[in-house]
Amino acid sequence: MAAASVARRAGRVLGLVGAAAVALTVVLLSPFVLEALSGSKGVDWNRLSQIGAAYGFTSAIVSALALAGVAVSLVVQNRQAKAEQVQGIRSYYLELVRLELDDMPLFQPVWGDTDIVDPHEQKRHVYADLMMNYAWMGFEIGTIREGLLRDMLAGMFTGEAGRHYWSRAHISWIASTSASRVGRRFLAIVGEERARAVASGPPTRSTIGPRPPAVLAAGASPALRTSVGALIGLGVGLAFGSLLRSRR
């Protein structure tokens, strides 16, 4: 979506440059057109120069507009190239985080020592980092508006996992994001929503419910199925023998 927006802006700039070039051409050729329309056979270049001088101011304005259009086009292209570079770096970072989530004991020590002991809490921290990066990228390029961002953060800071994440990671976020105006606005929104969530009361606990009781699955071992079948058969046999004896 961001690439499409940049392409539309570049198209508008190129259209402006083209219109300016056409206007400049018309201005430059207008003396000759006027001479042809007047029906004069000879060409009085002194007269033509005087007519051309009358258009000098207009020609200068059109030339300035054309140069401004070229400058704006170059700026848009430079921003687009920079955005693509940033997007490539972030995509690589997200891939590294996904690898860490797949095998936390193996990859987490590469990032350094951590005070998070519980493995589930470690995964929550990494997942919260992914969510915060997603919110930041969307807000930076304009696909996530402020209202949606506040709604996302309000839900995130309702639980203790989100609050713990920001208490651990806010320093690095400030160092990496506060250089731009959009980044400072993002940090301000995050701080406001966290403060609002803290003021509303204690967070919800991040707990994992007990596992459901084990049931006999269709893929159970053959020995287990044989033992269960033998017990059922023995019980049926005893009940049938007891019934026969009672009839005698």
Side-chain angles (χ1 to χ4, degrees):
M1 184 176 295
S5 177
V6 173
R8 286 196 298 270
R9 281 183 288 179
R12 288 196 295 267
V13 171
L14 293 177
L16 178 62
V17 172
V22 172
L24 179 61
T25 303
V26 172
V27 170
L28 293 177
L29 295 178
S30 60
F32 299 97
V33 175
L34 292 174
E35 182 68 23
L37 293 176
S38 66
S40 301
K41 300 300 183 181
V43 178
D44 187 356
W45 291 104
N46 289 328
R47 183 187 175 195
L48 291 178
S49 64
Q50 293 174 358
I51 296 174
Y55 289 93
F57 181 72
T58 304
S59 177
I61 293 177
V62 174
S63 299
L65 290 175
L67 290 176
V70 172
V72 172
S73 177
L74 293 176
V75 171
V76 171
Q77 292 178 3
N78 182 56
R79 289 182 178 179
Q80 182 179 4
K82 183 178 180 180
E84 291 175 353
Q85 293 175 350
V86 172
Q87 183 64 28
I89 294 174
R90 288 176 175 172
S91 298
Y92 191 72
Y93 165 75
L94 294 178
E95 187 62 28
L96 291 176
V97 175
R98 290 191 186 98
L99 288 175
E100 181 185 6
L101 276 174
D102 291 338
D103 195 341
M104 290 288 294
L106 178 62
F107 294 112
Q108 197 279 327
V110 178
W111 296 90
D113 295 333
T114 177
D115 59 345
I116 307 175
V117 179
D118 181 38
H120 296 300
E121 185 64 24
Q122 292 178 359
K123 287 191 174 183
R124 292 192 192 101
H125 180 85
V126 176
Y127 183 76
D129 187 65
L130 286 175
M131 289 297 298
M132 189 64 72
N133 273 279
Y134 166 72
W136 159 236
M137 287 187 288
F139 184 74
E140 184 182 23
I141 64 178
T143 57
I144 296 180
R145 302 296 182 181
E146 182 172 329
L148 177 57
L149 176 63
R150 289 185 179 277
D151 184 67
M152 293 172 58
L153 294 172
M156 183 176 180
F157 290 133
T158 300
E160 65 177 1
R163 298 186 189 183
H164 288 170
Y165 165 77
W166 190 248
S167 65
R168 296 185 180 103
H170 73 281
I171 296 178
S172 61
W173 272 99
I174 293 173
S176 62
T177 312
S178 59
S180 65
R181 180 184 60 83
V182 179
R184 290 190 294 271
R185 180 57 184 164
F186 175 79
L187 292 173
I189 295 174
V190 175
E192 291 170 4
E193 292 303 319
R194 185 179 185 276
R196 184 177 291 110
V198 172
S200 65
T204 56
R205 297 293 304 275
S206 301
T207 58
I208 298 179
R211 294 183 178 181
V215 295
L216 185 62
S221 64
L224 180 60
R225 290 199 301 267
T226 301
S227 300
V228 173
L231 290 174
I232 295 174
L234 179 60
V236 172
L238 291 175
F240 186 70
S242 177
L243 180 61
L244 292 178
R245 286 194 299 270
S246 65
R247 288 185 176 181
R248 291 176 184 176

